[in-house]
Amino acid sequence: MKIGIIGNGQIGNVIANRLVTYNHEITFGVRNLESNQKVNPIFNYVETKDIAINNELIILAVPGNAVDSAVKNIIEIDGKIVIDLTNPIGEGLKLTRGTTTSNAEEIQKIIPKAKVVKTLNTVGLEKMIDPTVNEEKITMLIAGDHDDANLKVSNLIAEIGFDPLIVGKLYFSRYLEPFAMIRIEMVRVQGMNPNTGIKWMR
Ligand SMILES: NC(=O)c1ccc[n+]([C@@H]2O[C@H](COP(=O)([O-])OP(=O)(O)OC[C@H]3O[C@@H](n4cnc5c(N)ncnc54)[C@H](OP(=O)(O)O)[C@@H]3O)[C@@H](O)[C@H]2O)c1
């Protein structure tokens, strides 16, 4: 599949490297094309606004407080699937949005004809590289309003090694984003081993 990733940072590159091993073609959408171009010859680079033109699915991997500006000028985004893996984290590792809305819901308002799917926000870099613990697949929670998009994302999540679980409509993102804070707090603040993940037993 042709996949676009907005955000050429830590998580964007980890996911890109993982997806190319499954023969997906990756294009990064970047703010400064000149300085980002040819950073890695196995990827393509375009301006963020053009990321949807040749890509079927877009992954948003920018800082949580940059999502609104990152998506607002994208052309040909209507009908495209947008995976939002961001967490709205501000100063002192505190959530800047929550309870009554979420990053994913706010993104959907800015690009109402795209199909926003929330997922991949509840694991850290280490488990994005290897989505297992003691050979058990980590469960990856998925939320979105469009069944076809949820299914496509679920298949992609399974392909890269997670145990996907569609939990509900996009408004579930207001629960999934705070949920990510449990891991972030335990690993980054309390120093817990990052080789951890949740398993939804069923
Ligand atoms: N790190 C993790 O373990 C992890 C796990 C799950 C989810 N996440 C989420 O993933 C997101 C990215 O985290 P990260 O650790 O990869 O951050 P990062 O290394 O700081 O990378 C962020 C990237 O976003 C780009 N960017 C910023 N604003 C932009 C905009 N308006 N338009 C286009 N690109 C923009 C930056 O590009 P410039 O070079 O132009 O500044 C940078 O390449 C966060 O929301 C985080 O909560 C992270």
Side-chain angles (χ1 to χ4, degrees):
M1 195 182 345
K2 289 188 170 183
I3 298 176
I5 301 179
I6 305 175
N8 186 17
Q10 289 189 87
I11 208 80
N13 277 279
V14 164
I15 290 177
N17 280 299
R18 191 141 182 87
L19 288 169
V20 289
T21 66
Y22 294 92
N23 295 321
H24 296 290
E25 184 182 331
I26 304 299
T27 300
F28 277 103
V30 296
R31 289 193 284 192
N32 186 333
L33 191 54
E34 209 175 331
S35 66
N36 279 281
Q37 227 166 12
K38 302 189 183 112
V39 171
N40 187 332
I42 65 171
F43 305 133
N44 309 304
Y45 297 87
V46 297
E47 284 182 36
T48 304
K49 70 175 177 52
D50 296 326
I51 193 66
I53 293 174
N54 285 315
N55 292 302
E56 194 178 332
L57 182 149
I58 315 298
I59 299 175
L60 187 60
V62 300
N65 59 6
V67 293
D68 301 16
S69 63
V71 298
K72 72 178 178 196
N73 295 320
I74 302 175
I75 55 178
E76 296 187 24
I77 192 73
D78 291 2
K80 300 286 173 78
I81 298 171
V82 177
I83 292 180
D84 169 35
L85 59 71
T86 69
N87 287 308
I89 303 171
E91 288 290 311
L93 284 184
K94 298 285 181 260
L95 282 178
T96 55
R97 267 179 185 154
T99 315
T100 55
T101 189
S102 58
N103 264 7
E105 290 166 276
E106 296 304 313
I107 292 163
Q108 185 72 84
K109 287 179 195 164
I110 299 169
I111 45 173
K113 293 184 178 167
K115 299 174 180 181
V116 178
V117 179
K118 186 84 201 181
T119 193
L120 289 174
N121 69 308
T122 53
V123 292
L125 285 174
E126 301 82 358
K127 293 293 95 188
M128 212 71 92
I129 295 166
D130 168 18
T132 63
V133 178
N134 300 331
E135 296 180 13
E136 279 269 19
K137 291 179 179 178
I138 292 173
T139 301
M140 183 50 65
L141 306 173
I142 301 167
D145 287 341
H146 302 271
D147 292 345
D148 59 331
N150 290 349
L151 187 59
K152 195 155 200 162
V153 170
S154 179
N155 289 339
L156 185 69
I157 295 291
E159 187 183 14
I160 62 172
F162 287 101
D163 161 35
L165 177 60
I166 299 168
V167 293
K169 298 287 185 194
L170 194 63
Y171 79 86
F172 269 70
S173 307
R174 62 184 73 170
Y175 313 130
L176 297 189
E177 291 171 7
F179 185 67
M181 299 308 293
I182 296 173
R183 181 199 63 81
I184 291 168
E185 186 82 17
M186 286 197 295
V187 172
R188 286 177 53 183
V189 179
Q190 298 175 19
M192 191 176 82
N193 182 344
N195 186 32
T196 57
I198 63 135
K199 182 81 192 169
W200 196 277
M201 309 290 285
R202 66 231 197 245

